[in-house]
Amino acid sequence: MNKLQNFLDVKLMPIAGRISEQRHLQAIRDGIILALPLLIIGSFFLIIGFLPINGYNDFMAGIFGPSWLDKLLYPVGATFDLLALFVSFGVAYRLAEKYKVDPVSAGVISVSAFMLATPFHVSFTPEGAGKAVEVGGAIPQALMGSQGMFVAIILAILSTEIFRKIIQKNVVIKMPDGVPPAVARSFTALVPALAVIITVWVLRLLIELTPFESIHAIVKDLLATPLSYLGGSLWGTLIAVFLMMLLWSMGLHGDAIVGSVMAPIWLQLMDENRKVFQANPNAELPHVVTQQFIDLWLNIGGTGVTLALVLLMLIRARSKQMKQLGKLAFGASLFNISEPVVFGTPIVMNPTLLIPFILAPLVSVVITYFAMDWGWVAKPNGVLVPWTSPVLVSGYLATGGKISGMVLQAVNVVVAMLIYYPFFRAWDKKKMEEELSSEKTAEPAVKTNTLDI
């Protein structure tokens, strides 16, 4: 165990620390977070549109007309289907903030670069025609959503790097004193914006000479599809979750570090499920592993399925410290906030609890993956239920109103309790012995004081 601890301290901690401080990964993570409130709002309308109640569609159609569902889902189109645009602006904005250059200009230039790289034509099949035709002058909706997210991230980083280098080299148009700051900033961004536009324009012209024809096709074939396969597979998910837990056990925010790499993949898979569900709520959904798979079936009570540990503290703890911590952490754990128990127990740098903390989520991955893949439990339907939603409620909503989603969450908690139990007993026993030893040490001091009086 000491060798493992030394390896974590000397070898892994410095690497993990550098990754967590990498500004591009931080910008991707924070830029995507910028879009999450809008996706949650869109999910709210998606839930209302597909409530699992018999006769609900007829009831709504009788009040609002036969096209009620199309009109209700307008906000879904304005949120999910514009995800790449939000990410394009958000990533560039956050990265520019870290370079301490104008973030608003960087965000706007990034969106412009993304649109410039996107071919404005879509395939359309006229009624009665047997073959699709290509229509020019139309923005492809699919590329504005999750399908275009990887291109949006790449161009956001590229355009912001060009933008900040030109700004920092002072190759800008300076306005005289007295010009309003907003106007001065606009002129300062003129040369960098021109450089970004020319770069992306030349890049697009060169790519159009290749069989790929667009940067979207290149990214899809060479990056997005392989990463989606890896991130959506059982082994890829196990590796990602293991790294998360390992980083958390060293006191680093594993979800934030690994999530900055995996979130674009899991969000894209989630949105593909959403599109299939929206087209037909009874259709077979394509993906098991999505962002909701991680948030709602693995992070129950927070990272490490720590709701299981908190429940053990409440019902089986014998030491005063564990009993009290269980009471204090229970409220936060219901809303999947694990910091009180992770740092209060503590789990960080604790060899006794390190094994169940890593093992419980990995076992949950296996159980959840096969339960959904074999059709025993409904898959996440693409609704972005907030990760702070209480357990059982979140499982019900994320599966489109299926009881099986709730049952699987309960099963994962019970299995995690069984995994935690022997390690929890050992830690609780140690705490109880420390408390008894402390009480015995304190008793003579009281007697001595009494004699002195």
Side-chain angles (χ1 to χ4, degrees):
M1 189 58 77
N2 288 334
K3 290 183 179 179
L4 175 63
Q5 191 69 50
N6 290 335
F7 172 77
L8 295 176
D9 290 342
V10 177
K11 300 291 184 183
L12 209 54
M13 277 286 282
I15 297 173
R18 284 197 290 272
I19 292 174
S20 68
E21 294 172 359
Q22 214 288 327
R23 58 168 64 95
H24 297 95
L25 291 178
Q26 288 180 341
I28 293 172
R29 180 195 65 202
D30 296 342
I32 290 175
I33 289 174
L34 198 68
L36 293 186
L38 293 172
L39 297 186
I40 292 172
I41 292 170
S43 297
F44 174 73
F45 285 90
L46 202 59
I47 292 172
I48 295 178
F50 298 96
L51 286 177
I53 301 173
N54 290 333
Y56 177 69
N57 288 340
D58 295 336
F59 173 76
M60 294 294 283
I63 297 177
F64 300 105
S67 60
W68 71 274
L69 185 58
D70 293 336
K71 294 178 180 178
L72 180 68
L73 297 182
Y74 286 164
V76 178
T79 51
F80 278 93
D81 292 341
L82 298 179
L83 177 60
L85 286 178
F86 304 146
V87 170
S88 173
F89 183 89
V91 172
Y93 187 98
R94 295 304 185 197
L95 186 57
E97 273 187 334
K98 297 181 187 308
Y99 283 124
K100 302 187 185 307
V101 294
D102 184 15
V104 175
S105 297
V108 171
I109 293 170
S110 171
V111 172
S112 178
F114 174 67
M115 297 302 289
L116 174 58
T118 304
F120 282 10
H121 54 76
V122 297
S123 294
F124 174 72
T125 305
E127 189 174 350
K131 189 176 180 181
V133 296
E134 197 165 88
V135 178
I139 297 176
Q141 185 187 43
L143 298 182
M144 298 297 106
S146 60
Q147 191 175 331
M149 191 161 57
F150 282 102
V151 175
I153 291 172
I154 292 169
L155 291 179
I157 293 174
L158 174 66
S159 65
T160 306
E161 287 294 338
I162 296 173
F163 177 79
R164 69 99 179 171
K165 283 188 177 179
I166 293 177
I167 294 282
Q168 290 173 349
K169 289 183 180 297
N170 209 22
V171 187
V172 296
I173 297 175
K174 294 183 179 178
M175 300 300 289
D177 295 339
V179 174
V183 177
R185 281 197 295 271
S186 297
F187 277 90
T188 301
L190 188 59
V191 174
L194 180 63
V196 170
I197 296 300
I198 289 176
T199 301
V200 177
W201 174 58
V202 172
L203 184 65
R204 175 174 174 172
L205 293 177
L206 292 174
I207 291 174
E208 285 181 346
L209 298 176
T210 70
F212 290 104
E213 296 185 352
S214 75
I215 188 173
H216 289 274
I218 292 178
V219 171
K220 180 183 177 184
D221 291 348
L222 303 182
L223 182 64
T225 301
L227 285 178
S228 297
Y229 179 77
L230 179 66
S233 69
L234 176 60
W235 287 111
T237 308
L238 285 172
I239 292 171
V241 172
F242 174 76
L243 289 175
M244 279 185 193
M245 297 304 111
L246 191 61
L247 292 169
W248 267 109
S249 67
M250 293 185 289
L252 299 172
H253 201 298
D255 292 73
I257 297 171
V258 178
S260 60
V261 178
M262 299 303 293
I265 302 169
W266 289 333
L267 282 173
Q268 184 175 358
L269 297 176
M270 185 192 79
D271 196 43
E272 289 176 9
N273 274 11
R274 191 268 306 175
K275 289 174 181 174
V276 173
F277 176 79
Q278 190 172 328
N280 179 7
N282 297 318
E284 178 68 20
L285 300 177
H287 304 295
V288 171
V289 180
T290 66
Q291 188 65 49
Q292 296 291 269
F293 178 97
I294 303 296
D295 289 344
L296 307 182
W297 280 275
L298 306 188
N299 292 341
I300 302 174
T303 303
V305 203
T306 43
L307 179 61
L309 181 59
V310 172
L311 290 175
L312 287 174
M313 290 177 180
L314 286 174
I315 62 178
R316 300 295 296 176
R318 299 173 64 189
S319 68
K320 294 177 183 176
Q321 181 182 337
M322 291 297 101
K323 284 180 181 176
Q324 189 63 24
L325 181 60
K327 293 175 184 175
L328 291 174
F330 182 66
S333 192
L334 277 181
F335 295 95
N336 305 316
I337 298 169
S338 60
E339 277 79 357
V341 67
V342 168
F343 295 102
T345 307
I347 295 175
V348 173
M349 297 294 183
N350 185 337
T352 305
L353 294 175
L354 182 67
I355 294 174
F357 182 70
I358 294 175
L359 186 60
L362 294 178
V363 173
S364 297
V365 169
V366 175
I367 293 174
T368 307
Y369 185 91
F370 285 114
M372 291 181 175
D373 191 51
W374 290 344
W376 296 353
V377 174
K379 298 174 185 173
N381 65 353
V383 170
L384 185 61
V385 179
W387 62 270
T388 50
S389 301
V391 64
L392 304 183
V393 174
S394 58
Y396 181 78
L397 293 176
T399 52
K402 301 292 193 303
I403 301 296
S404 60
M406 304 168 59
V407 173
L408 182 58
Q409 286 184 317
V411 168
N412 284 350
V413 171
V414 172
V415 172
M417 289 176 73
L418 295 174
I419 294 172
Y420 269 109
Y421 186 68
F423 301 93
F424 162 76
R425 283 296 302 271
W427 185 250
D428 185 48
K429 183 180 178 183
K430 181 182 177 185
K431 291 288 112 181
M432 194 169 61
E433 289 172 351
E434 289 176 358
E435 289 170 1
L436 291 173
S437 174
S438 177
E439 289 173 2
K440 288 178 181 177
T441 307
E443 283 176 1
V446 174
K447 291 178 181 177
T448 302
N449 290 338
T450 305
L451 289 174
D452 289 341
I453 291 171

